Amino acid sequence: MGPSETSTWNPELHIMFATRSGLVKKTNLSDFANVRKGGIIAIQIEEGDELIDALLTNGNDEVVLITHNGMSIRFHEEEARDMGRNAVGVWGIRPAEADKVVAIAKVVPDAMLLVAGLNGIGKRTGFDAYRRQSRGGKGIITMKTSDRTGDVIGALTVHDSDEVMLITTGGQMVRIRVSEIREAGRNTMGVKLINLIEGETLQDIAPVVSQEEMEESDSPGS
């Protein structure tokens, strides 16, 4: 295995998968080294469930799972041991009936958790407001949802200098600075992030990747 392959499939790194039902699965990055043309199984998904996201972790990271109804749980990745690619995983959070996981975010020093609701309402809260818990519990409130906010549609780890893109169900896209979004506690509703056209709701939020970051990630050995 050459130097570039060694850095690409670094065995000190892991991939943490999250599903709608609240399952998480961590697999060593080196398990993905033998990629076939037709792809390989990354996680076994049970009937009725679906994969929502995956994060690259370093073995000492903490993550937060966020649900549709505004609940969240923060836990250390050590609580999810490495499992094979074909495994289902373990409980990260146990959502209430009719609730589901909508996002997984990595806890990063000096960053905050941005949470957004269906009706274009959102806020950012410091990770120190989220105490570490054991995985598999019900979690704690991350956003107080109501008819005004709508249910949570997404969450991101953000820094003050970041920008995010808001995407609506009608295809409208609005770019805003994180620094313009008010900081608020966990058990609050937040403020308006976007003026929605009647009949539309917020579909998703995504980080804006700068040209410099794109060039850096495309460089050899990165």
Side-chain angles (χ1 to χ4, degrees):
M1 185 178 285
S4 60
E5 289 183 53
T6 304
S7 58
T8 300
W9 308 112
N10 187 341
E12 293 180 8
L13 299 178
H14 315 264
I15 299 180
M16 174 81 78
F17 299 91
T19 77
R20 287 264 182 243
S21 70
L23 293 172
V24 293
K25 194 198 73 164
K26 188 175 74 172
T27 300
N28 194 284
L29 188 58
S30 62
D31 284 9
F32 296 90
N34 298 318
V35 179
R36 302 187 187 96
K37 188 177 180 181
I40 56 176
I41 291 174
I43 178 175
Q44 192 69 43
I45 300 293
E46 297 185 316
E47 190 175 347
D49 202 1
E50 63 180 304
L51 181 68
I52 60 149
D53 206 353
L55 297 176
L56 190 65
T57 63
N58 65 15
N60 198 40
D61 283 317
E62 293 182 30
V63 298
V64 179
L65 293 171
I66 300 96
T67 79
H68 200 51
N69 290 351
M71 299 300 287
S72 66
I73 195 166
R74 171 181 176 174
F75 61 90
H76 198 286
E77 68 168 295
E78 284 181 343
E79 292 207 24
R81 62 178 178 80
D82 270 5
M83 304 178 80
R85 290 186 293 100
N86 204 28
V88 172
V90 294
W91 286 109
I93 188 171
R94 294 179 189 265
E97 193 174 350
D99 196 7
K100 59 186 178 183
V101 175
V102 295
I104 180 172
K106 193 186 299 185
V107 177
V108 176
D110 303 323
M112 305 185 87
L113 185 68
L114 169 61
V115 183
L118 202 65
N119 296 333
I121 304 294
K123 60 169 181 177
R124 53 192 177 115
T125 305
F127 282 113
D128 55 357
Y130 298 86
R131 68 181 186 275
R132 189 200 289 187
Q133 295 182 278
S134 296
R135 65 163 182 81
K138 298 287 186 185
I140 57 177
I141 292 175
T142 181
M143 181 171 175
K144 190 174 183 180
T145 56
S146 67
D147 290 342
R148 174 176 169 260
T149 64
D151 287 323
V152 174
I153 56 93
L156 297 172
T157 298
V158 295
H159 291 89
D160 282 0
S161 57
D162 291 342
E163 294 185 347
V164 295
M165 193 72 78
L166 308 172
I167 304 110
T168 74
T169 50
Q172 181 187 8
M173 297 179 74
V174 175
R175 181 172 174 164
I176 61 171
R177 293 184 180 90
V178 167
S179 57
E180 296 173 356
I181 302 169
R182 184 184 298 173
E183 295 181 28
R186 283 189 303 101
N187 198 13
T188 57
M189 291 186 186
V191 295
K192 186 179 286 188
L193 302 177
I194 183 174
N195 290 312
L196 292 165
I197 297 169
E198 191 173 348
E200 288 188 12
T201 56
L202 195 58
Q203 174 81 28
D204 203 1
I205 57 173
V208 173
V209 180
S210 68
Q211 189 66 35
E212 291 80 6
E213 286 176 306
M214 288 180 67
E215 289 171 356
E216 193 175 296
S217 64
D218 289 340
S219 63
S222 63

